[in-house]
Amino acid sequence: ELFSKIETDTNRGITSTKDRELHFGSNKIFLEPPPKFLKYVFQAMKNLMIIILIIGAIVSIILGATLSDDYNNEWIEGLSIIIAIIIVVLVSSITEYNKEVKFHKLNKTTRDGTKYKVIRNGQLEYLISDEILVGDLILINYGEIMCADIILVKGHGIKMDESPLTGRSDSMKKMEYDECIEEYNKNPDKEKVPSPLILSGTHCIEGSGKGIVIAVGEYSQKGLIRRTVDNAKENNESPLEIKLDKIGRIVGFFGIGAGVVTFIVFFIRYM
């Protein structure tokens, strides 16, 4: 019934790709291009300690160049702080930028370099992950990482490593859909019945077979997890980040207060 609804066949696969992406979604993973280098510079400059050091350096330069007895040399200390800040900001920005660029290159290489054997309309085709559609009859081989959620329709001793999704190191045995139904009806302990479902992101460590793709892209298990993680990153900070930010603010306020008091004392003294 499921296969008839997604208009596929367990021997020939899909006969037409028309409107499949529209109805069932695409397996293309959109990766935003790496941000411009200046964005990382501005992010580094937003650090509270950097801001305090900049203010302190400016104050030091002004005092050294105006109120100091040796105004020809005293401003050099403030300038040295500015140079140190520039070095720290540049090193941090370059490191983050290079890391992001390498991440995008690795993802693109992995995505475009891996090809899967797919049967469409009875013909064997070699497709990259982005081209996989719901209903495709895909061949599963040892060593492959699944690019979509699949129901196993024919298999020989398939075991999958699901640790990337579940964290469990045990290999999970997979059985053909029809065999699983028979086993489910016979076995009183339903929880011990193997599953025919092979999830995206899992790794085939034993056996081979073929299955029908039932979910791709953001609708697959890997896509759902990726979306959850992205939302968590956007909306939440870790407890360590919250504590460090709080400590940084306290230290920053003390630093600003000390700087203001020092400025007032020097101002009164030299006035």
Side-chain angles (χ1 to χ4, degrees):
E1 183 181 356
L2 171 63
F3 297 155
S4 64
K5 284 184 177 180
I6 60 177
E7 299 177 358
T8 188
D9 183 80
T10 56
N11 293 312
R12 296 182 59 81
I14 59 177
T15 57
S16 173
T17 61
K18 184 180 180 181
D19 294 333
R20 280 197 171 265
E21 285 192 6
L22 179 64
H23 293 152
F24 303 112
S26 169
N27 206 36
K28 296 175 183 176
I29 300 174
F30 174 72
L31 289 175
E32 293 184 0
K36 301 297 183 182
F37 177 72
L38 286 178
K39 180 179 180 180
Y40 294 99
V41 174
F42 289 135
Q43 285 180 346
M45 295 287 287
K46 289 180 181 178
N47 185 283
L48 184 59
M49 296 305 296
I50 295 293
I51 294 173
I52 293 171
L53 287 173
I54 292 173
I55 295 172
I58 293 173
V59 171
S60 178
I61 291 173
I62 293 173
L63 292 178
T66 57
L67 302 179
S68 173
D69 295 332
D70 187 11
Y71 58 83
N72 289 325
N73 296 317
E74 289 294 331
W75 59 271
I76 296 176
E77 181 178 346
L79 181 61
S80 64
I81 296 174
I82 293 291
I83 294 173
I85 292 171
I86 293 173
I87 293 172
V88 170
V89 169
L90 285 178
V91 169
S92 173
S93 303
I94 291 171
T95 302
E96 291 296 323
Y97 179 74
N98 287 338
K99 183 173 66 174
E100 193 70 20
V101 169
K102 288 179 181 178
F103 171 75
H104 278 74
K105 285 183 178 179
L106 178 62
N107 273 322
K108 190 176 186 305
T109 302
T110 304
R111 182 183 60 189
D112 298 342
T114 304
K115 291 194 174 183
Y116 297 88
K117 295 179 181 178
V118 176
I119 296 176
R120 285 184 179 175
N121 200 23
Q123 302 295 319
L124 180 64
E125 299 183 20
Y126 292 85
L127 305 176
I128 63 173
S129 173
D130 287 1
E131 299 171 324
I132 302 297
L133 298 171
V134 168
D136 270 331
L137 179 60
I138 188 169
L139 303 185
I140 304 164
N141 297 300
Y142 168 78
E144 289 183 339
I145 297 176
M146 298 299 102
C147 60
D149 291 350
I150 301 166
I151 284 186
L152 185 65
V153 294
K154 192 72 176 177
H156 306 281
I158 289 185
K159 290 185 179 180
M160 304 297 297
D161 175 16
E162 296 184 348
S163 58
L165 300 182
T166 65
R168 295 176 57 183
S169 59
D170 298 337
S171 60
M172 303 298 293
K173 182 180 179 182
K174 301 296 177 178
M175 290 176 60
E176 297 174 15
Y177 176 77
D178 293 337
E179 292 179 351
C180 288
I181 294 297
E182 293 178 6
E183 192 73 18
Y184 185 83
N185 292 329
K186 292 188 298 183
N187 197 329
D189 189 354
K190 308 299 185 185
E191 293 184 357
K192 292 186 177 181
V193 176
S195 170
L197 185 60
I198 298 176
L199 302 175
S200 57
T202 59
H203 180 207
C204 181
I205 57 175
E206 195 173 317
S208 61
K210 60 182 180 179
I212 298 292
V213 175
I214 60 169
V216 295
E218 62 179 320
Y219 304 105
S220 67
Q221 189 65 26
K222 187 178 179 180
L224 294 173
I225 292 175
R226 184 187 296 109
R227 187 165 53 188
T228 302
V229 171
D230 289 342
N231 290 337
K233 286 182 179 179
E234 292 177 1
N235 301 328
N236 297 307
E237 290 182 322
S238 68
L240 178 60
E241 289 175 332
I242 294 172
K243 288 182 179 180
L244 289 175
D245 186 59
K246 186 177 180 180
I247 293 171
R249 290 181 182 277
I250 293 173
V251 173
F253 289 138
F254 272 111
I256 293 172
V260 171
V261 171
T262 303
F263 179 78
I264 293 173
V265 169
F266 273 96
F267 184 78
I268 294 174
R269 177 183 175 185
Y270 287 100
M271 289 298 293

